Amino acid sequence: MLSASALPSIVAVMLTLALPAWAAPQPISKRSTSELSLKAQLRLADTAIERYQLLPKDEDFVFNFTASEVPVATSQNFPALVGTGASFSIGELPACSMSFLHLHPRATELFALTSGRVLSEMVPEAGVLDSEGKQRVIRVELSPGVVTIYPAGSFHTQVNPDCEPANFAAAFTSDEFAVGLVAAETFSLSDDVIAATFGQSIAGEDIETVRNAIPTTMAIKVEECLTKCGKQKRQV
């Protein structure tokens, strides 16, 4: 299934293929743009100079995180990023919380901490083994000013084990990096596939129990930390 974020690129390709072979190139200023979004126009631009012409205001090159409902700047909400191969995010990992185990299928991520403390775990691709011949898991502790890297497609998560929030910034090597949620996507498969994948260790009603237990909030509360900090479990 195609994600909504992939549609502008697909539209651009389809429009390009649909042009008659004899059609002479037209300056972008003369093209009909009534049915194209700004992002589609930017992707169809022949040169970087034309992209600048489509972004005539200086404000087109500024993204205000404080005014955005989602603190992630991608080509979908910041058109100036089209064609740059980059996007950016800032955020906060609440006290005693863990981010979903996730991956970015189209981008490598550089994750930097600006305040607090975070424990990071990352699983590289199959075949990357530790000294015992088992799947390698890279575990690091991050403090302010420290950055770690999550190669594209690698599973990773971050845990804030302390009683105060941890703030971070993240840069991505794609203007449409996307997110894959490992647990939710795995358990969206059919029961037979899940049962076989886990060696028949879970099946039947247990599979549905696991599906229903997968958290839907942005961060997962860490029970041990909640007890240490005297906090009650609540939705983020």
Side-chain angles (χ1 to χ4, degrees):
M1 181 175 66
L2 296 173
S3 66
S5 63
L7 291 178
S9 298
I10 295 171
V11 170
V13 173
M14 292 176 66
L15 288 172
T16 301
L17 295 176
L19 289 174
W22 48 263
Q26 295 289 322
I28 197 164
S29 60
K30 295 183 180 179
R31 294 174 183 166
S32 174
T33 59
S34 60
E35 297 181 0
L36 295 179
S37 68
L38 174 59
K39 295 184 290 293
Q41 295 177 56
L42 289 165
R43 295 190 189 282
L44 284 170
D46 291 326
T47 67
I49 292 174
E50 289 187 350
R51 286 197 289 271
Y52 278 106
Q53 293 172 349
L54 288 165
L55 301 168
K57 299 178 182 178
D58 292 350
E59 292 77 13
D60 291 332
F61 295 87
V62 174
F63 184 85
N64 187 348
F65 282 102
T66 63
S68 175
E69 293 183 4
V70 180
V72 180
T74 72
S75 57
Q76 298 305 292
N77 59 3
F78 189 21
L81 290 177
V82 169
T84 64
S87 51
F88 196 78
S89 174
I90 62 173
E92 176 185 277
L93 194 59
C96 300
S97 66
M98 180 183 84
S99 67
F100 282 120
L101 181 62
H102 64 283
L103 59 85
H104 305 294
R106 293 191 292 274
T108 290
E109 176 183 2
L110 290 171
F111 181 93
L113 211 61
T114 56
S115 72
R117 182 171 68 108
V118 160
L119 307 178
S120 165
E121 294 198 16
M122 185 266 287
V123 181
E125 63 192 86
V128 179
L129 308 178
D130 60 19
S131 59
E132 298 179 352
K134 299 178 181 178
Q135 172 68 54
R136 185 176 179 187
V137 180
I138 297 173
R139 299 179 175 91
V140 295
E141 181 173 325
L142 305 176
S143 56
V146 176
V147 63
T148 191
I149 184 171
Y150 304 122
S154 61
F155 293 0
H156 57 277
T157 185
Q158 302 93 13
V159 177
N160 177 0
D162 295 331
C163 305
E164 300 297 329
N167 293 283
F168 64 87
F172 303 87
T173 59
S174 169
D175 58 48
E176 297 180 83
F177 60 88
V179 177
L181 301 177
V182 177
E185 293 182 17
T186 298
F187 278 85
S188 67
L189 297 168
S190 66
D191 289 2
D192 289 344
V193 171
I194 294 172
T197 298
F198 289 92
Q200 306 299 331
S201 61
I202 55 174
E205 295 181 357
D206 291 338
I207 292 178
E208 193 61 30
T209 299
V210 174
R211 282 198 186 104
N212 294 332
I214 295 173
T216 57
T217 53
M218 291 301 293
I220 304 168
K221 288 298 184 181
V222 180
E223 297 288 353
E224 183 179 352
C225 179
L226 289 169
T227 301
K228 174 185 72 174
C229 299
K231 295 178 180 289
Q232 293 184 347
K233 185 173 183 179
R234 61 180 181 179
Q235 300 294 330
V236 178

